[in-house]
Amino acid sequence: FMAYRVLTPTPLVIPPGATAQVAVEFTPERLGEHPGSLRLSSPALGPTGRLDIPLGGTGVLPLRLNFFRLAFGKLLPGDEIACRDICITNAGEAPAAVHVEAAGLDPERFQVEPRGWLELLPGETRRVRVMRIGAGKASGELVLESELLPEGRIVVPVTAGK
């Protein structure tokens, strides 16, 4: 798969003294750098008859998280609840659906709000709050699922106590 596609119809005829724009679409299917080039061919381009214009783009996650691990540590005597938030941002150009679920978290020791499907508009950030209730050692995972994430999901480890 090519990450770049020329959208301007070809061949493109440019009259002497005129200019033209060439539209190129960048649609990466993987994360990371995507070098490429746009080749123009014409006898007017000199002895080689061509000009290569470098293209560059970076594939990024449309969904961004501010944490990849939640550690609560120990609660101070008298404290009953501690909270940690994960912010999910839709950095893409289309709405994104994200499913939020707790896996292996004791519901009497942890609460996750909101749970289930979240719809994020482009540029929107939503907060998912994990609340630890009571002291003691506990662990589990917060699972975020979306077709826009690598392998369809991200697992965030959640730990409490020492």
Side-chain angles (χ1 to χ4, degrees):
F1 175 79
M2 298 293 293
Y4 300 97
R5 182 169 66 108
V6 175
L7 301 177
T8 304
T10 58
L12 181 63
V13 178
I14 306 170
T19 61
Q21 292 184 353
V22 176
V24 177
E25 178 181 65
F26 175 60
T27 53
E29 283 197 349
R30 63 174 171 77
L31 300 176
E33 298 294 320
H34 291 271
S37 64
L38 174 65
R39 176 169 284 173
L40 304 178
S41 301
S42 170
L45 292 172
T48 63
R50 70 176 197 236
L51 173 65
D52 289 327
I53 301 169
L55 302 174
T58 304
V60 297
L61 286 176
L63 293 175
R64 296 189 184 144
L65 304 178
N66 65 335
F67 285 105
F68 291 96
R69 184 178 195 290
L70 291 180
F72 284 89
K74 294 182 179 180
L75 283 177
L76 297 174
D79 287 346
E80 290 298 318
I81 297 177
C83 298
R84 299 289 184 269
D85 293 339
I86 289 184
C87 290
I88 306 168
T89 300
N90 179 359
E93 297 178 1
V98 181
H99 189 260
V100 178
E101 195 56 56
L105 290 175
D106 180 348
E108 293 184 19
R109 304 283 304 282
F110 291 96
Q111 291 180 6
V112 178
E113 296 175 1
R115 289 173 99 147
W117 286 101
L118 304 177
E119 184 79 20
L120 283 82
L121 297 174
E124 183 179 7
T125 298
R126 295 284 298 272
R127 180 187 72 190
V128 174
R129 174 162 282 178
V130 179
M131 292 176 281
R132 175 185 172 196
I133 302 165
K137 196 172 185 177
S139 64
E141 299 171 334
L142 184 67
V143 180
L144 306 172
E145 297 178 307
S146 173
E147 64 183 23
L148 301 175
L149 292 170
E151 300 174 17
R153 66 190 307 198
I154 289 180
V155 176
V156 179
V158 178
T159 59
K162 297 263 180 183

